[in-house]
Amino acid sequence: MATSFTSDIVPQAPEDPLFGLMAAYRADDFEKKVDLGIGAYRDDNAKPWILPVVRQADDMLHNDPDLNHEYLPIAGLPEFTQASQKLVLGADSPAIREKRVTSMQTISGTGAVHLGALFMSKFYAPSHPNAPLYLSAPTWANHNQIFSNVRLPIKTYPYFSASTKGLDFDGMIAALDAAPEQSMIVLHACAHNPTGVDPTKEQWIQIAKTIRAKNHFPFFDCAYQGFASGDLAKDAWAVRYFVEQGFELCVAQSYAKNFGLYGERAGCFHFVTGRSNDAQATIGRIASQLAILQRSEISNPPAYGARIAAVVLNNPKLFAEWEENLRTMSGRIIDMRKALRSKLESMSTPGTWNHITDQIGMFSFLGLSEKQVMKVREEAHIYFTKNSRISMAGLNTHNVDYVAKAIDSVVRSTQ
């Protein structure tokens, strides 16, 4: 026998649809092709944008005579993890003040979600055998793979309404209320991926009440803080509210989008334990087990991206400049939302298009059928995912008219 890993044991895995889409786009030699699939910011010339504040931090690091390439601690760069706590939880967070939060630097947001999933699989699921993990329908595709790979049972709660192209709030609340007690609930802190639909503050308050009533465990994924609205505090409001309400919870935090550090893989995982007399002892035990998991997986995290973020997060002048960079990115995306909606409405394209500006963040669900998506790709060489999620960052003043006309043509000709 030549191998123990025959096709019935190790079948060929399907190609990742998003990376397959990117490959198809790169292979297309059509001059006016448009990439609306990539989940990365592009400037008005469709080019990657290195944030000016990141360039400054990079220069500062390169000119630091004490910079070295030694290992970081298992938990990561302390000045990065401590600043990350304050960024997402708030500098005045009761969890920080009461020393009941622990943080681990991770391989971006994906690594943070994975570390949290691994911890919950090992230390929560065994004592809660009837409590599955709930994901929004739809959610970031990688969520399903990450949580299923650690063998957490997955269910979904309604989230996106195909009819309103907004939040199915009643369906979401009903599902959370019907879920078994102490279920794990994955929540997108802001700029929901892939829909761009976020709850209002009033809806978040009701979500928190329902989760509290059923003793569920909230697991926040925060990949777009500051990138969604341009306001760091506004984008972290839901996380901070849950912490203020005394929830025990965890947060996966990414610096890919809001710093443009896509390839540097800078992220953080935060665990907040509930208020109790022995909260500090509890968080110490949790930290010790997270360190064991981290050590067995990556030993210690990479330094470069975390150092860049730490320089900015701990320097008031650079922090203020970063906030301005965030407003530049979020502002351009908001402008593109307005432009696309305006052009579709000016052509009286069948359907309603207010959802494009109602939604927020990098992505928007257009509401096209898979057949229409494929026809746009075939006829106009415009690439986005089959579920009609488009990256608003791929639009610019040079191509938005072309994209709008292509959508209009396909909507009129294809049901």
Side-chain angles (χ1 to χ4, degrees):
M1 186 174 180
T3 179
S4 298
F5 304 98
T6 54
S7 60
D8 58 326
I9 296 172
V10 184
Q12 181 69 38
E15 181 181 47
D16 184 285
L18 188 56
F19 283 87
L21 184 71
M22 292 166 59
Y25 171 80
R26 286 193 295 267
D28 191 337
D29 58 5
F30 185 66
E31 185 180 359
K32 295 180 72 175
K33 67 180 180 179
V34 180
D35 179 10
L36 299 182
I38 186 66
Y41 182 77
R42 296 291 182 261
D43 65 16
D44 197 50
N45 293 310
K47 301 295 184 184
W49 189 53
I50 299 177
L51 276 61
V53 75
V54 168
R55 286 192 184 277
Q56 289 185 59
D58 192 35
D59 288 342
M60 292 169 67
L61 287 171
H62 280 292
N63 292 322
D64 182 356
D66 296 322
L67 187 70
N68 58 54
H69 299 287
E70 294 294 300
Y71 291 124
L72 293 182
I74 293 173
L77 191 69
E79 52 265 43
F80 170 74
T81 56
Q82 290 166 13
S84 295
Q85 279 184 10
K86 294 175 183 176
L87 185 72
V88 70
L89 302 180
D92 59 348
S93 171
I96 296 175
R97 185 172 62 250
E98 296 160 13
K99 296 182 173 60
R100 49 187 179 86
V101 55
T102 187
S103 303
M104 303 286 290
Q105 183 186 330
T106 58
I107 308 294
S108 201
T110 304
V113 173
H114 171 69
L115 182 62
L118 200 59
F119 179 86
M120 297 301 285
S121 176
K122 186 171 183 179
F123 295 105
Y124 188 84
S127 58
H128 301 80
N130 300 315
L133 179 133
Y134 280 78
L135 299 171
S136 63
T139 192
W140 180 45
N142 214 16
H143 276 156
N144 287 284
Q145 297 177 133
I146 293 170
F147 289 109
S148 63
N149 280 349
V150 297
R151 294 178 172 78
L152 286 172
I154 295 174
K155 292 191 176 183
T156 61
Y157 58 85
Y159 192 85
F160 183 74
S161 167
S163 58
T164 67
K165 300 181 180 66
L167 179 64
D168 181 2
F169 181 66
D170 291 341
M172 179 182 182
I173 290 296
L176 296 182
D177 188 53
E181 289 244 348
Q182 299 181 307
S183 293
M184 295 163 276
I185 313 295
V186 176
L187 301 163
H188 297 231
C190 65
H192 183 274
N193 179 4
T195 68
V197 174
D198 285 352
T200 63
K201 286 185 179 180
E202 292 72 21
Q203 289 171 332
W204 273 121
I205 291 170
Q206 183 57 50
I207 290 167
K209 286 181 180 177
T210 304
I211 289 176
R212 168 72 75 205
K214 295 302 296 278
N215 293 313
H216 295 325
F217 184 92
F219 189 132
F220 279 97
D221 190 353
C222 184
Y224 297 93
Q225 186 184 358
F227 189 94
S229 69
D231 185 326
L232 290 160
K234 181 178 180 181
D235 291 348
W237 188 88
V239 174
R240 296 178 185 184
Y241 177 76
F242 272 67
V243 171
E244 288 166 4
Q245 295 303 303
F247 280 93
E248 185 165 56
L249 55 81
C250 62
V251 184
Q253 181 184 30
S254 170
Y255 286 96
K257 307 297 191 299
N258 56 13
F259 265 91
L261 294 171
Y262 303 99
E264 306 307 334
R265 316 310 292 145
C268 213
F269 176 75
H270 309 280
F271 196 103
V272 178
T273 193
R275 291 189 177 101
S276 68
N277 292 332
D278 62 348
Q280 290 184 29
T282 299
I283 207 64
R285 288 186 286 102
I286 291 169
S288 71
Q289 293 293 346
L290 286 170
I292 293 293
L293 295 175
Q294 176 103 311
R295 173 68 168 148
S296 68
E297 296 238 325
I298 63 170
S299 274
N300 33 49
Y304 183 64
R307 282 175 172 156
I308 286 178
V311 167
V312 176
L313 294 173
N314 291 291
N315 182 309
K317 182 181 178 182
L318 293 180
F319 190 94
E321 184 170 342
W322 176 49
E323 290 182 298
E324 189 58 40
N325 292 170
L326 287 169
R327 286 188 285 270
T328 295
M329 291 190 290
S330 62
R332 197 188 80 74
I333 287 177
I334 290 169
D335 287 345
M336 287 301 101
R337 288 185 178 277
K338 292 176 181 176
L340 181 60
R341 175 185 175 181
S342 175
K343 291 179 184 297
L344 290 170
E345 290 180 342
S346 69
M347 291 184 288
S348 299
T349 304
T352 59
W353 302 100
N354 58 289
H355 60 279
I356 294 174
T357 53
D358 291 343
Q359 295 166 5
I360 191 171
M362 181 170 286
F363 301 110
S364 179
F365 250 25
L366 283 183
L368 304 186
S369 68
E370 183 176 326
K371 183 179 179 181
Q372 289 171 327
V373 170
M374 297 311 295
K375 192 169 183 182
V376 169
R377 187 185 307 178
E378 293 161 7
E379 294 184 354
H381 302 260
I382 298 170
Y383 291 79
F384 51 99
T385 56
K386 292 179 181 179
N387 61 5
S388 86
R389 184 201 81 167
I390 67 170
S391 172
M392 301 305 300
L395 291 175
N396 55 61
T397 57
H398 311 293
N399 67 20
V400 66
D401 190 59
Y402 175 74
V403 170
K405 288 177 179 176
I407 294 171
D408 177 78
S409 174
V410 166
V411 169
R412 292 181 187 279
S413 64
T414 312
Q415 296 301 316

